[in-house]
Amino acid sequence: MTLNQNTFTGEYSYALDAKGRVNIPAKFRNVLTADNDQSFVITRGMDPCVWVYPIIVWQSIEDELRKLSSLSQVNRSFVRSTVRYASSVQYDKQGRIAVSSNLIQYADLGKEVLILGMVNKIEIWNPDILDSVDKQSQKIDSSQFDELANQIIL
Amino acid sequence: MTLNQNTFTGEYSYALDAKGRVNIPAKFRNVLTADNDQSFVITRGMDPCVWVYPIIVWQSIEDELRKLSSLSQVNRSFVRSTVRYASSVQYDKQGRIAVSSNLIQYADLGKEVLILGMVNKIEIWNPDILDSVDKQSQKIDSSQFDELANQIIL
DNA sequence: ATATATTGTGGGTAGTTGTGGGTAATAATC
DNA sequence: GATTATTACCCACAACTACCCACAATATAT
């Protein structure tokens, strides 16, 4: 398969078990480069969902944060809010990662979860919440998409 | 796991015991390089919290301080306030460090504390104070905050 | 169509981690 | 020098996590 490395697309339905574990879809694991050491960084998403980055991708974020001096108040609160809920996880022999109860609560995850590929990261959603967020964002008026047109070619 | 060395992320709830000891989260201890000799430098944070640096990281800060000319009044008082409350601690067999009563007072720590990874250092907070500081700073600098987010968050 | 490999899900077990308390060594005070 | 306070070091235990195995469902190959 010649898909881009560390790049994820598609939607998958999976189970979050009693121990707080979810499977990472095999298709996602197979495009993970070896230097990730089968590991991700899992954190709060900007939407009410969980974000999962390949560790290599996350490290580039960390490197940027490291450059910010803690003398500045804004810098401090930005670093804090960015890394506060982030932690690294390695998937087990069965391909599952553990989701902390903190994140399960934040994204209001139940037994059934939706896993979305989002190009450079993965999102884990409660299906109902994704639905309502989706409907809401359809109301966003098309002028905002016009703005995006300047930045990306589809 | 291939996380960056001497780099900390995530939020953890821990207990400060009657003897003034707190556990350093295992995840943090495990990314500490051996040359730190299981030791940190603990000092006052710029926010009302306690800062905990790996000794190796702290040494590089000292190197920077050394470069600041003492001709400037601002420099002098900055160096003074930075170094004044700093002291080194080694964690015990159970992974705990002792927090001096001076610092406990400064950060107003009770039995329950929050430990935050802040990339190159660790913060120890009273949860209530973190809450209010967090809310306040989000009001004040939201525009600068967004700017940083646009540059750094992937 | 059948056999083989891969993938998703559940659960058990051994080791690790967090927390409290105890005892000995050291320092401080009278 | 004796007494008290403080600190460093050790042990115990409950809770949790990482790791392993089992098995059913799905996909792939023969």
Side-chain angles (χ1 to χ4, degrees), chain A residues 116-143:
Chain A
L116 305 189
M118 283 286 283
V119 189
N120 63 342
K121 62 177 165 288
I122 299 164
E123 288 185 349
I124 306 177
W125 284 85
N126 172 329
D128 299 334
I129 293 181
L130 176 57
D131 231 49
S132 67
V133 170
D134 241 21
K135 276 175 192 156
Q136 219 159 21
S137 61
Q138 273 171 12
K139 291 179 195 155
I140 294 176
D141 94 84
S142 59
S143 68

PDB file of all heavy atoms in Angstrom, chain A residues 116-143:
ATOM      1  N   LEU A 116     -11.801   8.665  13.835  1.00  0.00           N
ATOM      2  CA  LEU A 116     -11.701   9.364  12.550  1.00  0.00           C
ATOM      3  C   LEU A 116     -10.255   9.642  12.201  1.00  0.00           C
ATOM      4  O   LEU A 116      -9.486  10.093  13.046  1.00  0.00           O
ATOM      5  CB  LEU A 116     -12.433  10.708  12.599  1.00  0.00           C
ATOM      6  CG  LEU A 116     -13.902  10.758  13.002  1.00  0.00           C
ATOM      7  CD1 LEU A 116     -14.444  12.156  12.763  1.00  0.00           C
ATOM      8  CD2 LEU A 116     -14.712   9.736  12.232  1.00  0.00           C
ATOM      9  N   GLY A 117      -9.892   9.383  10.956  1.00  0.00           N
ATOM     10  CA  GLY A 117      -8.615   9.850  10.465  1.00  0.00           C
ATOM     11  C   GLY A 117      -8.726  11.330  10.156  1.00  0.00           C
ATOM     12  O   GLY A 117      -9.697  11.759   9.539  1.00  0.00           O
ATOM     13  N   MET A 118      -7.738  12.130  10.606  1.00  0.00           N
ATOM     14  CA  MET A 118      -7.766  13.575  10.366  1.00  0.00           C
ATOM     15  C   MET A 118      -6.427  14.009   9.791  1.00  0.00           C
ATOM     16  O   MET A 118      -5.809  14.971  10.257  1.00  0.00           O
ATOM     17  CB  MET A 118      -8.027  14.304  11.672  1.00  0.00           C
ATOM     18  CG  MET A 118      -9.459  14.253  12.109  1.00  0.00           C
ATOM     19  SD  MET A 118     -10.509  15.334  11.128  1.00  0.00           S
ATOM     20  CE  MET A 118     -10.098  16.954  11.834  1.00  0.00           C
ATOM     21  N   VAL A 119      -5.987  13.278   8.780  1.00  0.00           N
ATOM     22  CA  VAL A 119      -4.741  13.552   8.087  1.00  0.00           C
ATOM     23  C   VAL A 119      -3.523  13.307   9.002  1.00  0.00           C
ATOM     24  O   VAL A 119      -3.005  12.215   9.031  1.00  0.00           O
ATOM     25  CB  VAL A 119      -4.694  14.970   7.482  1.00  0.00           C
ATOM     26  CG1 VAL A 119      -3.472  15.116   6.588  1.00  0.00           C
ATOM     27  CG2 VAL A 119      -5.962  15.200   6.654  1.00  0.00           C
ATOM     28  N   ASN A 120      -3.143  14.330   9.786  1.00  0.00           N
ATOM     29  CA  ASN A 120      -1.932  14.144  10.591  1.00  0.00           C
ATOM     30  C   ASN A 120      -2.206  13.659  12.008  1.00  0.00           C
ATOM     31  O   ASN A 120      -1.291  13.465  12.785  1.00  0.00           O
ATOM     32  CB  ASN A 120      -1.119  15.437  10.630  1.00  0.00           C
ATOM     33  CG  ASN A 120      -1.881  16.555  11.308  1.00  0.00           C
ATOM     34  OD1 ASN A 120      -3.102  16.473  11.449  1.00  0.00           O
ATOM     35  ND2 ASN A 120      -1.178  17.580  11.738  1.00  0.00           N
ATOM     36  N   LYS A 121      -3.494  13.511  12.353  1.00  0.00           N
ATOM     37  CA  LYS A 121      -3.830  12.981  13.672  1.00  0.00           C
ATOM     38  C   LYS A 121      -5.106  12.157  13.600  1.00  0.00           C
ATOM     39  O   LYS A 121      -5.738  12.036  12.557  1.00  0.00           O
ATOM     40  CB  LYS A 121      -3.979  14.109  14.689  1.00  0.00           C
ATOM     41  CG  LYS A 121      -5.091  15.084  14.372  1.00  0.00           C
ATOM     42  CD  LYS A 121      -5.218  16.114  15.469  1.00  0.00           C
ATOM     43  CE  LYS A 121      -6.054  17.311  15.041  1.00  0.00           C
ATOM     44  NZ  LYS A 121      -5.340  18.176  14.063  1.00  0.00           N
ATOM     45  N   ILE A 122      -5.479  11.569  14.738  1.00  0.00           N
ATOM     46  CA  ILE A 122      -6.659  10.722  14.830  1.00  0.00           C
ATOM     47  C   ILE A 122      -7.598  11.325  15.868  1.00  0.00           C
ATOM     48  O   ILE A 122      -7.145  11.863  16.872  1.00  0.00           O
ATOM     49  CB  ILE A 122      -6.234   9.298  15.274  1.00  0.00           C
ATOM     50  CG1 ILE A 122      -5.270   8.685  14.253  1.00  0.00           C
ATOM     51  CG2 ILE A 122      -7.443   8.413  15.476  1.00  0.00           C
ATOM     52  CD1 ILE A 122      -4.523   7.469  14.790  1.00  0.00           C
ATOM     53  N   GLU A 123      -8.892  11.250  15.594  1.00  0.00           N
ATOM     54  CA  GLU A 123      -9.868  11.734  16.575  1.00  0.00           C
ATOM     55  C   GLU A 123     -10.724  10.583  17.084  1.00  0.00           C
ATOM     56  O   GLU A 123     -11.117   9.707  16.319  1.00  0.00           O
ATOM     57  CB  GLU A 123     -10.785  12.801  15.955  1.00  0.00           C
ATOM     58  CG  GLU A 123     -10.098  14.124  15.703  1.00  0.00           C
ATOM     59  CD  GLU A 123     -11.054  15.210  15.210  1.00  0.00           C
ATOM     60  OE1 GLU A 123     -12.209  14.879  14.876  1.00  0.00           O
ATOM     61  OE2 GLU A 123     -10.642  16.376  15.168  1.00  0.00           O
ATOM     62  N   ILE A 124     -11.029  10.611  18.377  1.00  0.00           N
ATOM     63  CA  ILE A 124     -11.939   9.629  18.967  1.00  0.00           C
ATOM     64  C   ILE A 124     -13.169  10.358  19.499  1.00  0.00           C
ATOM     65  O   ILE A 124     -13.048  11.274  20.309  1.00  0.00           O
ATOM     66  CB  ILE A 124     -11.267   8.851  20.114  1.00  0.00           C
ATOM     67  CG1 ILE A 124      -9.954   8.226  19.634  1.00  0.00           C
ATOM     68  CG2 ILE A 124     -12.197   7.770  20.651  1.00  0.00           C
ATOM     69  CD1 ILE A 124      -9.176   7.506  20.727  1.00  0.00           C
ATOM     70  N   TRP A 125     -14.340   9.945  19.004  1.00  0.00           N
ATOM     71  CA  TRP A 125     -15.583  10.656  19.317  1.00  0.00           C
ATOM     72  C   TRP A 125     -16.636   9.746  19.957  1.00  0.00           C
ATOM     73  O   TRP A 125     -16.703   8.556  19.658  1.00  0.00           O
ATOM     74  CB  TRP A 125     -16.210  11.210  18.035  1.00  0.00           C
ATOM     75  CG  TRP A 125     -15.559  12.429  17.461  1.00  0.00           C
ATOM     76  CD1 TRP A 125     -14.489  12.459  16.621  1.00  0.00           C
ATOM     77  CD2 TRP A 125     -15.968  13.796  17.645  1.00  0.00           C
ATOM     78  NE1 TRP A 125     -14.203  13.751  16.269  1.00  0.00           N
ATOM     79  CE2 TRP A 125     -15.087  14.591  16.888  1.00  0.00           C
ATOM     80  CE3 TRP A 125     -16.984  14.416  18.392  1.00  0.00           C
ATOM     81  CZ2 TRP A 125     -15.194  15.992  16.842  1.00  0.00           C
ATOM     82  CZ3 TRP A 125     -17.082  15.806  18.346  1.00  0.00           C
ATOM     83  CH2 TRP A 125     -16.200  16.575  17.578  1.00  0.00           C
ATOM     84  N   ASN A 126     -17.472  10.358  20.755  1.00  0.00           N
ATOM     85  CA  ASN A 126     -18.767   9.785  21.085  1.00  0.00           C
ATOM     86  C   ASN A 126     -19.651  10.069  19.866  1.00  0.00           C
ATOM     87  O   ASN A 126     -19.828  11.231  19.492  1.00  0.00           O
ATOM     88  CB  ASN A 126     -19.317  10.477  22.337  1.00  0.00           C
ATOM     89  CG  ASN A 126     -20.751  10.091  22.643  1.00  0.00           C
ATOM     90  OD1 ASN A 126     -21.544   9.803  21.752  1.00  0.00           O
ATOM     91  ND2 ASN A 126     -21.081  10.118  23.929  1.00  0.00           N
ATOM     92  N   PRO A 127     -20.243   9.029  19.238  1.00  0.00           N
ATOM     93  CA  PRO A 127     -20.974   9.202  17.975  1.00  0.00           C
ATOM     94  C   PRO A 127     -22.072  10.256  18.057  1.00  0.00           C
ATOM     95  O   PRO A 127     -22.247  11.046  17.119  1.00  0.00           O
ATOM     96  CB  PRO A 127     -21.588   7.820  17.723  1.00  0.00           C
ATOM     97  CG  PRO A 127     -20.752   6.874  18.504  1.00  0.00           C
ATOM     98  CD  PRO A 127     -20.237   7.617  19.679  1.00  0.00           C
ATOM     99  N   ASP A 128     -22.801  10.281  19.165  1.00  0.00           N
ATOM    100  CA  ASP A 128     -23.887  11.244  19.311  1.00  0.00           C
ATOM    101  C   ASP A 128     -23.377  12.675  19.295  1.00  0.00           C
ATOM    102  O   ASP A 128     -23.966  13.560  18.673  1.00  0.00           O
ATOM    103  CB  ASP A 128     -24.645  10.986  20.622  1.00  0.00           C
ATOM    104  CG  ASP A 128     -25.261   9.600  20.653  1.00  0.00           C
ATOM    105  OD1 ASP A 128     -25.531   9.058  19.558  1.00  0.00           O
ATOM    106  OD2 ASP A 128     -25.439   9.055  21.756  1.00  0.00           O
ATOM    107  N   ILE A 129     -22.270  12.888  19.992  1.00  0.00           N
ATOM    108  CA  ILE A 129     -21.727  14.242  20.074  1.00  0.00           C
ATOM    109  C   ILE A 129     -21.209  14.694  18.718  1.00  0.00           C
ATOM    110  O   ILE A 129     -21.433  15.822  18.293  1.00  0.00           O
ATOM    111  CB  ILE A 129     -20.618  14.311  21.137  1.00  0.00           C
ATOM    112  CG1 ILE A 129     -21.232  14.078  22.525  1.00  0.00           C
ATOM    113  CG2 ILE A 129     -19.905  15.648  21.090  1.00  0.00           C
ATOM    114  CD1 ILE A 129     -20.249  14.136  23.651  1.00  0.00           C
ATOM    115  N   LEU A 130     -20.541  13.793  18.025  1.00  0.00           N
ATOM    116  CA  LEU A 130     -20.054  14.130  16.690  1.00  0.00           C
ATOM    117  C   LEU A 130     -21.213  14.560  15.790  1.00  0.00           C
ATOM    118  O   LEU A 130     -21.124  15.552  15.064  1.00  0.00           O
ATOM    119  CB  LEU A 130     -19.330  12.938  16.069  1.00  0.00           C
ATOM    120  CG  LEU A 130     -18.853  13.128  14.623  1.00  0.00           C
ATOM    121  CD1 LEU A 130     -17.933  14.337  14.519  1.00  0.00           C
ATOM    122  CD2 LEU A 130     -18.143  11.892  14.110  1.00  0.00           C
ATOM    123  N   ASP A 131     -22.290  13.827  15.914  1.00  0.00           N
ATOM    124  CA  ASP A 131     -23.487  14.134  15.151  1.00  0.00           C
ATOM    125  C   ASP A 131     -23.964  15.558  15.379  1.00  0.00           C
ATOM    126  O   ASP A 131     -24.192  16.304  14.422  1.00  0.00           O
ATOM    127  CB  ASP A 131     -24.601  13.167  15.583  1.00  0.00           C
ATOM    128  CG  ASP A 131     -25.242  12.490  14.397  1.00  0.00           C
ATOM    129  OD1 ASP A 131     -24.477  11.979  13.553  1.00  0.00           O
ATOM    130  OD2 ASP A 131     -26.476  12.507  14.316  1.00  0.00           O
ATOM    131  N   SER A 132     -24.097  15.930  16.640  1.00  0.00           N
ATOM    132  CA  SER A 132     -24.659  17.252  16.925  1.00  0.00           C
ATOM    133  C   SER A 132     -23.672  18.362  16.584  1.00  0.00           C
ATOM    134  O   SER A 132     -24.060  19.430  16.123  1.00  0.00           O
ATOM    135  CB  SER A 132     -25.093  17.332  18.390  1.00  0.00           C
ATOM    136  OG  SER A 132     -23.964  17.275  19.222  1.00  0.00           O
ATOM    137  N   VAL A 133     -22.376  18.107  16.800  1.00  0.00           N
ATOM    138  CA  VAL A 133     -21.370  19.100  16.419  1.00  0.00           C
ATOM    139  C   VAL A 133     -21.373  19.289  14.903  1.00  0.00           C
ATOM    140  O   VAL A 133     -21.268  20.401  14.392  1.00  0.00           O
ATOM    141  CB  VAL A 133     -19.964  18.675  16.894  1.00  0.00           C
ATOM    142  CG1 VAL A 133     -18.893  19.563  16.287  1.00  0.00           C
ATOM    143  CG2 VAL A 133     -19.869  18.733  18.405  1.00  0.00           C
ATOM    144  N   ASP A 134     -21.536  18.180  14.223  1.00  0.00           N
ATOM    145  CA  ASP A 134     -21.610  18.192  12.766  1.00  0.00           C
ATOM    146  C   ASP A 134     -22.745  19.060  12.260  1.00  0.00           C
ATOM    147  O   ASP A 134     -22.561  19.904  11.384  1.00  0.00           O
ATOM    148  CB  ASP A 134     -21.831  16.766  12.271  1.00  0.00           C
ATOM    149  CG  ASP A 134     -20.687  16.313  11.384  1.00  0.00           C
ATOM    150  OD1 ASP A 134     -19.605  16.910  11.487  1.00  0.00           O
ATOM    151  OD2 ASP A 134     -20.896  15.366  10.610  1.00  0.00           O
ATOM    152  N   LYS A 135     -23.925  18.833  12.820  1.00  0.00           N
ATOM    153  CA  LYS A 135     -25.098  19.596  12.389  1.00  0.00           C
ATOM    154  C   LYS A 135     -24.905  21.076  12.628  1.00  0.00           C
ATOM    155  O   LYS A 135     -25.258  21.912  11.806  1.00  0.00           O
ATOM    156  CB  LYS A 135     -26.338  19.110  13.148  1.00  0.00           C
ATOM    157  CG  LYS A 135     -26.958  17.883  12.480  1.00  0.00           C
ATOM    158  CD  LYS A 135     -28.103  17.332  13.313  1.00  0.00           C
ATOM    159  CE  LYS A 135     -28.519  15.955  12.808  1.00  0.00           C
ATOM    160  NZ  LYS A 135     -29.182  15.158  13.869  1.00  0.00           N
ATOM    161  N   GLN A 136     -24.333  21.375  13.786  1.00  0.00           N
ATOM    162  CA  GLN A 136     -24.118  22.765  14.132  1.00  0.00           C
ATOM    163  C   GLN A 136     -23.180  23.452  13.135  1.00  0.00           C
ATOM    164  O   GLN A 136     -23.409  24.567  12.711  1.00  0.00           O
ATOM    165  CB  GLN A 136     -23.518  22.844  15.529  1.00  0.00           C
ATOM    166  CG  GLN A 136     -24.063  23.998  16.342  1.00  0.00           C
ATOM    167  CD  GLN A 136     -23.867  23.746  17.822  1.00  0.00           C
ATOM    168  OE1 GLN A 136     -23.009  22.945  18.209  1.00  0.00           O
ATOM    169  NE2 GLN A 136     -24.640  24.406  18.646  1.00  0.00           N
ATOM    170  N   SER A 137     -22.113  22.729  12.779  1.00  0.00           N
ATOM    171  CA  SER A 137     -21.116  23.367  11.929  1.00  0.00           C
ATOM    172  C   SER A 137     -21.597  23.511  10.494  1.00  0.00           C
ATOM    173  O   SER A 137     -21.022  24.260   9.717  1.00  0.00           O
ATOM    174  CB  SER A 137     -19.801  22.576  11.976  1.00  0.00           C
ATOM    175  OG  SER A 137     -20.009  21.271  11.506  1.00  0.00           O
ATOM    176  N   GLN A 138     -22.670  22.787  10.157  1.00  0.00           N
ATOM    177  CA  GLN A 138     -23.210  22.969   8.809  1.00  0.00           C
ATOM    178  C   GLN A 138     -23.879  24.326   8.663  1.00  0.00           C
ATOM    179  O   GLN A 138     -24.077  24.819   7.551  1.00  0.00           O
ATOM    180  CB  GLN A 138     -24.215  21.855   8.498  1.00  0.00           C
ATOM    181  CG  GLN A 138     -23.539  20.618   7.935  1.00  0.00           C
ATOM    182  CD  GLN A 138     -24.467  19.439   7.824  1.00  0.00           C
ATOM    183  OE1 GLN A 138     -25.675  19.587   7.956  1.00  0.00           O
ATOM    184  NE2 GLN A 138     -23.899  18.274   7.603  1.00  0.00           N
ATOM    185  N   LYS A 139     -24.183  24.908   9.838  1.00  0.00           N
ATOM    186  CA  LYS A 139     -24.798  26.231   9.801  1.00  0.00           C
ATOM    187  C   LYS A 139     -23.759  27.318   9.524  1.00  0.00           C
ATOM    188  O   LYS A 139     -24.098  28.434   9.185  1.00  0.00           O
ATOM    189  CB  LYS A 139     -25.484  26.527  11.140  1.00  0.00           C
ATOM    190  CG  LYS A 139     -26.717  25.676  11.380  1.00  0.00           C
ATOM    191  CD  LYS A 139     -27.324  26.005  12.746  1.00  0.00           C
ATOM    192  CE  LYS A 139     -28.320  24.945  13.173  1.00  0.00           C
ATOM    193  NZ  LYS A 139     -28.456  24.903  14.641  1.00  0.00           N
ATOM    194  N   ILE A 140     -22.489  26.962   9.746  1.00  0.00           N
ATOM    195  CA  ILE A 140     -21.431  27.928   9.449  1.00  0.00           C
ATOM    196  C   ILE A 140     -21.580  28.371   8.006  1.00  0.00           C
ATOM    197  O   ILE A 140     -21.686  27.562   7.094  1.00  0.00           O
ATOM    198  CB  ILE A 140     -20.039  27.297   9.643  1.00  0.00           C
ATOM    199  CG1 ILE A 140     -19.821  26.975  11.108  1.00  0.00           C
ATOM    200  CG2 ILE A 140     -18.953  28.232   9.130  1.00  0.00           C
ATOM    201  CD1 ILE A 140     -18.505  26.264  11.379  1.00  0.00           C
ATOM    202  N   ASP A 141     -21.549  29.665   7.796  1.00  0.00           N
ATOM    203  CA  ASP A 141     -21.948  30.047   6.451  1.00  0.00           C
ATOM    204  C   ASP A 141     -20.787  29.962   5.475  1.00  0.00           C
ATOM    205  O   ASP A 141     -19.624  29.944   5.837  1.00  0.00           O
ATOM    206  CB  ASP A 141     -22.689  31.400   6.512  1.00  0.00           C
ATOM    207  CG  ASP A 141     -21.836  32.586   6.280  1.00  0.00           C
ATOM    208  OD1 ASP A 141     -21.652  32.873   5.100  1.00  0.00           O
ATOM    209  OD2 ASP A 141     -21.414  33.221   7.262  1.00  0.00           O
ATOM    210  N   SER A 142     -21.120  29.787   4.267  1.00  0.00           N
ATOM    211  CA  SER A 142     -20.143  29.366   3.278  1.00  0.00           C
ATOM    212  C   SER A 142     -19.055  30.408   3.047  1.00  0.00           C
ATOM    213  O   SER A 142     -18.017  30.099   2.484  1.00  0.00           O
ATOM    214  CB  SER A 142     -20.844  29.052   1.957  1.00  0.00           C
ATOM    215  OG  SER A 142     -21.514  30.206   1.517  1.00  0.00           O
ATOM    216  N   SER A 143     -19.271  31.623   3.524  1.00  0.00           N
ATOM    217  CA  SER A 143     -18.242  32.637   3.343  1.00  0.00           C
ATOM    218  C   SER A 143     -16.958  32.242   4.047  1.00  0.00           C
ATOM    219  O   SER A 143     -15.861  32.598   3.625  1.00  0.00           O
ATOM    220  CB  SER A 143     -18.740  33.984   3.865  1.00  0.00           C
ATOM    221  OG  SER A 143     -18.868  33.933   5.261  1.00  0.00           O
TER     222      SER A 143
END
